Amino acid sequence: LREEKLLKRSGDAKLNETEDIPLNIDEDSIDEFYDEAPDSEIEKLEEEVIDQASAARTIAELEIEIESLKRLEDLALKVHRSGTDKKWEELSALLQGEGQTGTVNNIFDAEGLRRKLIIFTEHRDTLNYLTNRIRTLLGRAEAVVTIHGSMGREERHKTQEAFTQDKNVLILVATDAAGEGINLQRAHLMVNYDLPWNPNRIEQRFGRIHRIGQTEVCHLWNLVASETREGEVYHRLLTKLEQQRESLGGSVFDVLGKCFNETSLRELLIDAIRYGDKPEIKAKLTETIDKALDYEHIRQLIEERALTHEVLDAARVQKIREEMERAEARRFQPHYIASFFREAFRVLGGAMHEREPKRYEITHTPTVIRNRDRIIGIGEPVLKSYERITFEKNLISISGKLLASFVCPGHPLLDSTIDLVLERYRELLKRGSTLVDPYNSCEDIRVLFYLEHSIQDARMDRSDNRRIVSRQMQFVEMDEKGNMRNLGYAPYLDYRPITSEENESMKSILESQEWLYGDLDSQAVAYAAEHIVPLHLDEVRTHKEERIRKTMEAVKDRLTKEINYWDHRSEQLKLQESAGKPMAKINSDLARQRADDLEARLRQRMQELEEERYLSPLPPVVIGGALVVPQCLLEKLTGKEPAFNIVNQAERERIDRLAVAAVMEMERKLGRIPREMDHGNPGYDIESKDPDTNRLFFIEVKGKSSGSSTITVSKTQILTALNKYDDFILAIVEVDGEKVAEPRYIYRPFRKEPDFGVTSVNYDLEDIFARGGYPV
């Protein structure tokens, strides 16, 4: 290819009847290009420079260079035919666990299975060469995947997910297209087959695996031809880098790109190639590298980097922290998400197998789920298989085990499954059910409505519909008098299904409840639209507004810099063209076109972000409901002794008020700031803050009359305690007439989730008291 280009230049010169061979490369412009150009443009310039690079200035000199090139071509052909490739041999030995101390333990795990590995190279030709040779070496084409610059973003994400989750995909060969913005943390082994001349790229490459959450020690091999001038520079660089890494840890890679601000690594390499035989040049190169990677210099850069992160004021940080803790207290236990997903996945034709406790393998994802993701998905795709999934955040990464994909709301696998289940069983949900409230002392029947509410922005999805940015299940309850209330999240957890016997006894009562046959749905929708929808919209808007503002600032800053660069570059090229020094592939018109394209891209991106900022609520939709029957009404109908009556309910409420007041007073004595929650708040009665540590405690108060031997705890309260395992307190207060005993505090009162169908659990007081005592 190089020979063809030189022959063409010689032919053009002879055709033009000129002896001089012009060099249309301005070295100063090239230096400026390297300093300012976007990374995506540098490879194109390098190709053009290589095309034109030649010491020949006449046709005769050019023909001598062509003859020299032919001799090199013959030599390269002999090397190729010999099958000897030292660099490949080193990589091959590494892949087979040979050649270096400790390599066997790194490339293969304790069971002899091959670990996942990433190989970075500079050029597409090298990538293709390595891909073919590695596939031949391993004997499996599917074991090797690639990422390169000509791949679309979606295709790159699919490859990333396959490398992360498919156990059959072992090696990723990539150019620097995978060096930024892609999380490859699934692996902790990396090889630089080619080392880039820009240290920022080395930093970006290693940052794909060396990142927060990585539980394994990361290993990086750099393949360098030591008996070359370029290799000598890299050898010194890597040796010095290893010395500072041992002193400063992996943080040295975070600032590697800034170490060579005064003299670029590219300049050092060019000087080494040009003048590397001169002792004084070698000494200067060594001195420059040692200075750039000086311990104190790197330490200062690390400190500067830490100081440049965005800083929030302490009050804002504390508010965010408290909201996160409250959300954590309210979240569904992974047990319920896992129970739903296992059954739904089975119904849809899938199967999952537990490989470690609460960690599963999916060998085949049903086509129906993958097809649904293609319709509703907006992020990463659903894969054909998952090497590991888990429903618990703390089990994502376990030392010595495979990284698991965290299946939670928002994960495409769960979202597609939910969407299919809702589609198949929506009519069953609308048909409704009857639930029993075991805690309410009144005899009033209520209706519980399940509403779905969505917030959309102005963007369009794949089906040309407005994109849904938030969807919530909301619960509204109505009584016979038309009173409505928002029941918050998952109120049904504390209800139980009605038995067939109880259902029979209810028929006569229901016939007399004329109000149940009115247009209740419309009333529920109207209430939700007035009281719940605005809260949902404000919550989403608060989250979105700040994120979009920051994104707009970042996009505008980045694209404006590129636009300014190409504007300036266009003017420079015009001057070069006027002086008779045109660039063959980068001319002023092309530079102007790129500036115009970037301006159009900036306008489009700003419009997209404005569309994302424009939020509008859709009307709430009733998707199901339930008749809620108090336990005491059923007991009355069946002739059982009621657990609640007007007298003992009044006494119950009195005891509860005295108990809560006693715990509030105790919290103040402990120096904390308690806040009583609204009546009926699910999960806990008091939220108390320690002003010294800003720690929140969630306290459930149980008042008991003298002589009681058990307490009843609802499912929601147990789940809240498990969600906030270290911050939940069960406070028990004995009330005898007007005498209120000192509260007893039980920390970590519950050990496991209640069974799926359980609504409450009775605990023996003696056993509970054995776990706690009086607060100090």
Side-chain angles (χ1 to χ4, degrees):
L1 185 61
R2 167 74 173 163
E3 181 185 354
E4 290 175 2
K5 293 181 183 298
L6 293 181
L7 285 171
K8 182 178 184 303
R9 290 183 66 186
S10 174
D12 291 342
K14 290 177 180 178
L15 187 63
N16 294 328
E17 298 181 350
T18 178
E19 282 295 318
D20 295 330
I21 306 293
L23 182 64
N24 297 324
I25 299 175
D26 185 334
E27 188 168 339
D28 293 336
S29 297
I30 292 174
D31 289 339
E32 185 178 346
F33 188 92
Y34 263 102
D35 292 336
E36 299 181 7
D39 287 344
S40 58
E41 299 300 326
I42 290 177
E43 187 174 339
K44 297 176 183 178
L45 177 67
E46 287 174 345
E47 183 180 341
E48 178 167 347
V49 170
I50 290 170
D51 286 350
Q52 296 196 50
S54 172
R57 291 294 177 269
T58 65
I59 293 178
E61 291 176 351
L62 188 60
E63 288 178 345
I64 293 172
E65 183 173 344
I66 291 171
E67 288 301 317
S68 299
L69 190 62
K70 287 180 178 179
R71 289 194 297 273
L72 289 173
E73 186 179 8
D74 292 337
L75 183 60
L77 183 60
K78 290 178 181 178
V79 172
H80 178 70
R81 287 174 175 171
S82 72
T84 302
D85 181 344
K86 184 61 178 175
K87 204 170 186 181
W88 161 252
E89 288 174 0
E90 291 295 328
L91 178 61
S92 176
L94 180 67
L95 294 176
Q96 297 176 75
E98 302 170 356
Q100 293 190 25
T101 303
T103 301
V104 174
N105 294 330
N106 292 329
I107 298 298
F108 298 96
D109 63 19
E111 298 175 357
L113 299 176
R114 184 179 294 277
R115 289 191 170 111
K116 291 182 182 271
L117 173 75
I118 302 166
I119 301 172
F120 271 105
T121 184
E122 283 284 275
H123 307 290
R124 280 284 304 280
D125 289 343
T126 312
L127 179 143
N128 294 333
Y129 168 74
L130 290 178
T131 301
N132 292 333
R133 298 211 68 162
I134 296 171
R135 283 173 175 167
T136 302
L137 176 68
L138 300 183
R140 291 190 292 122
E142 71 277 8
V144 186
V145 294
T146 63
I147 292 180
H148 49 77
S150 63
M151 295 171 66
R153 177 170 297 184
E154 185 175 347
E155 190 178 358
R156 291 187 205 181
H157 279 297
K158 286 182 178 179
T159 302
Q160 174 191 339
E161 284 299 300
F163 179 71
T164 302
Q165 289 298 329
D166 191 339
K167 67 179 181 181
N168 295 314
V169 177
L170 300 173
I171 294 176
L172 169 65
V173 185
T175 63
D176 283 305
E180 187 172 11
I182 294 181
N183 179 8
L184 300 172
Q185 191 179 339
R186 171 65 175 81
H188 63 277
L189 308 178
M190 180 180 290
V191 175
N192 277 324
Y193 190 82
D194 298 317
L195 276 165
W197 284 19
N198 185 343
N200 284 312
R201 294 188 188 176
I202 301 177
E203 174 186 323
Q204 289 167 2
R205 289 177 180 183
F206 199 54
R208 297 310 93 214
I209 62 170
H210 188 265
R211 56 198 297 127
I212 294 173
Q214 175 64 267
T215 60
E216 302 292 336
V217 176
C218 294
H219 295 268
L220 172 63
W221 290 270
N222 297 293
L223 300 185
V224 178
S226 59
E227 296 179 3
T228 64
R229 295 173 182 176
E230 179 187 22
E232 289 179 1
V233 173
Y234 273 127
H235 186 266
R236 183 65 187 179
L237 169 70
L238 296 171
T239 301
K240 191 71 178 179
L241 192 61
E242 177 61 19
Q243 293 173 359
Q244 304 303 7
R245 187 198 64 78
E246 291 177 358
S247 302
L248 296 164
S251 300
V252 66
F253 284 96
D254 297 337
V255 296
L256 181 58
K258 295 183 179 181
C259 291
F260 293 91
N261 276 347
E262 295 183 8
T263 303
S264 72
L265 178 60
R266 182 180 61 84
E267 291 174 355
L268 295 179
L269 290 165
I270 290 174
D271 286 345
I273 292 169
R274 287 175 172 172
Y275 317 113
D277 288 337
K278 298 180 179 179
E280 64 273 18
I281 296 296
K282 285 186 176 183
K284 182 181 177 183
L285 293 175
T286 299
E287 179 185 351
T288 304
I289 292 174
D290 289 351
K291 181 181 177 181
L293 295 179
D294 175 70
Y295 173 88
E296 188 62 28
H297 181 215
I298 295 177
R299 188 187 62 77
Q300 290 176 1
L301 289 174
I302 291 172
E303 289 181 358
E304 288 174 9
R305 180 179 182 273
L307 293 173
T308 59
H309 293 314
E310 181 181 7
V311 178
L312 297 175
D313 64 87
R316 176 64 176 155
V317 170
Q318 179 57 26
K319 184 178 180 181
I320 293 172
R321 177 178 173 271
E322 290 178 4
E323 288 302 319
M324 290 175 66
E325 288 196 28
R326 294 184 185 108
E328 180 74 8
R330 295 194 301 267
R331 76 182 175 95
F332 271 145
Q333 278 286 317
H335 164 76
Y336 290 94
I337 296 176
S339 297
F340 163 79
F341 181 80
R342 278 197 300 265
E343 180 62 18
F345 196 62
R346 183 192 64 79
V347 169
L348 295 173
M352 50 193 288
H353 309 282
E354 190 171 24
R355 297 307 185 196
E356 296 97 29
K358 299 183 179 180
R359 288 162 53 91
Y360 308 86
E361 180 183 9
I362 294 175
T363 55
H364 174 70
T365 305
T367 304
V368 65
I369 296 178
R370 287 185 280 124
N371 287 341
R372 180 53 54 100
D373 173 66
R374 293 188 183 102
I375 298 172
I376 68 169
I378 57 174
E380 64 186 54
V382 171
L383 302 180
K384 292 182 179 180
S385 63
Y386 289 85
E387 202 165 1
R388 288 294 184 275
I389 68 165
T390 186
F391 304 93
E392 303 196 26
K393 188 181 293 185
N394 63 317
L395 296 178
I396 296 173
S397 182
I398 299 177
S399 181
K401 302 294 182 181
L402 299 169
L403 190 72
S405 183
F406 182 37
V407 177
C408 61
H411 191 284
L413 184 61
L414 179 61
D415 288 353
S416 298
T417 301
I418 290 173
D419 198 65
L420 285 166
V421 169
L422 282 174
E423 180 183 277
R424 291 191 181 189
Y425 300 105
R426 192 176 292 273
E427 287 304 314
L428 186 62
L429 194 62
K430 285 184 177 179
R431 222 180 297 168
S433 59
T434 303
L435 302 175
V436 177
D437 181 356
Y439 302 108
N440 200 308
S441 61
C442 71
E443 297 181 3
D444 295 334
I445 296 173
R446 292 110 62 196
V447 178
L448 177 65
F449 295 93
Y450 314 148
L451 296 105
E452 184 179 76
H453 181 248
S454 301
I455 305 288
Q456 64 182 6
D457 61 21
R459 297 173 299 169
M460 309 301 285
D461 63 16
R462 297 170 183 170
S463 303
D464 291 330
N465 297 315
R466 291 284 180 88
R467 182 170 293 183
I468 301 299
V469 295
S470 178
R471 181 179 283 116
Q472 285 185 357
M473 285 285 286
Q474 298 162 341
F475 300 90
V476 172
E477 190 176 78
M478 174 191 289
D479 63 18
E480 182 178 2
K481 297 177 182 178
N483 297 319
M484 295 246 182
R485 62 182 183 138
N486 176 13
L487 290 192
Y489 69 99
Y492 52 83
L493 288 180
D494 291 333
Y495 301 156
R496 66 171 176 82
I498 195 168
T499 66
S500 56
E501 180 183 349
E502 290 169 337
N503 199 38
E504 284 295 321
S505 66
M506 282 296 302
K507 287 183 177 179
S508 59
I509 296 293
L510 293 177
E511 290 175 358
S512 63
Q513 302 288 320
E514 295 182 3
W515 68 280
L516 293 175
Y517 303 97
D519 186 11
L520 305 184
D521 286 14
S522 298
Q523 297 178 58
V525 168
Y527 175 85
E530 182 178 355
H531 297 281
I532 303 178
V533 168
L535 298 176
H536 185 195
L537 181 60
D538 287 344
E539 177 186 340
V540 176
R541 179 173 284 131
T542 301
H543 169 73
K544 279 271 186 182
E545 189 65 33
E546 183 65 11
R547 185 186 64 80
I548 292 173
R549 181 187 65 79
K550 291 180 179 179
T551 303
M552 292 180 84
E553 289 177 357
V555 169
K556 185 176 290 187
D557 179 67
R558 178 173 59 82
L559 289 181
T560 300
K561 285 180 180 177
E562 290 196 34
I563 291 168
N564 291 339
Y565 166 77
W566 285 113
D567 278 337
H568 178 61
R569 185 72 175 140
S570 175
E571 295 303 317
Q572 280 188 320
L573 289 169
K574 278 184 180 179
L575 294 175
Q576 290 182 32
E577 290 162 1
S578 300
K581 296 181 178 180
M583 296 287 280
K585 294 185 179 178
I586 304 178
N587 55 50
S588 59
D589 290 338
L590 180 59
R592 167 52 49 199
Q593 181 61 48
R594 287 178 180 171
D596 293 342
D597 291 344
L598 286 168
E599 286 181 358
R601 181 178 165 191
L602 177 60
R603 288 193 298 270
Q604 181 182 353
R605 189 72 181 102
M606 290 296 109
Q607 180 181 346
E608 289 173 353
L609 289 167
E610 286 293 345
E611 290 173 351
E612 188 176 351
R613 172 183 275 166
Y614 181 79
L615 302 174
S616 58
L618 292 169
V621 178
V622 175
I623 62 171
L627 201 64
V628 181
V629 181
Q631 177 77 33
C632 57
L633 177 60
L634 291 173
E635 291 168 343
K636 179 179 178 180
L637 291 173
T638 56
K640 296 180 180 178
E641 182 69 25
F644 297 99
N645 57 49
I646 295 176
V647 176
N648 67 23
Q649 176 61 16
E651 176 65 10
R652 177 75 265 157
E653 291 176 355
R654 185 187 74 86
I655 291 173
D656 286 344
R657 286 197 301 273
L658 291 172
V660 169
V663 174
M664 292 282 287
E665 180 61 26
M666 177 56 69
E667 285 296 296
R668 294 188 187 100
K669 288 180 180 179
L670 293 172
R672 295 198 281 253
I673 304 170
R675 179 170 68 96
E676 185 176 354
M677 307 307 293
D678 295 336
H679 179 69
N681 178 70
Y684 55 96
D685 297 307
I686 296 172
E687 184 181 284
S688 190
K689 180 178 177 180
D690 185 334
D692 295 328
T693 63
N694 289 321
R695 182 180 178 184
L696 287 182
F697 291 92
F698 303 88
I699 307 173
E700 172 60 27
V701 180
K702 293 295 181 183
K704 76 179 191 71
S705 58
S706 179
S708 299
S709 61
T710 62
I711 59 167
T712 301
V713 186
S714 73
K715 174 184 287 185
T716 302
Q717 292 160 1
I718 296 173
L719 293 180
T720 304
L722 293 171
N723 285 338
K724 301 301 297 180
Y725 192 65
D726 293 319
D727 303 319
F728 186 91
I729 300 171
L730 178 63
I732 301 176
V733 182
E734 185 175 347
V735 179
D736 185 4
E738 296 302 319
K739 183 180 178 182
V740 181
E742 186 177 354
R744 302 278 289 272
Y745 278 17
I746 294 89
Y747 296 90
R748 302 178 179 177
F750 313 116
R751 301 289 188 266
K752 63 179 182 178
E753 307 99 338
D755 291 337
F756 195 84
V758 171
T759 58
S760 63
V761 179
N762 290 328
Y763 289 92
D764 183 79
L765 274 176
E766 187 175 339
D767 177 61
I768 285 287
F769 282 152
R771 305 183 200 170
Y774 298 105
V776 178

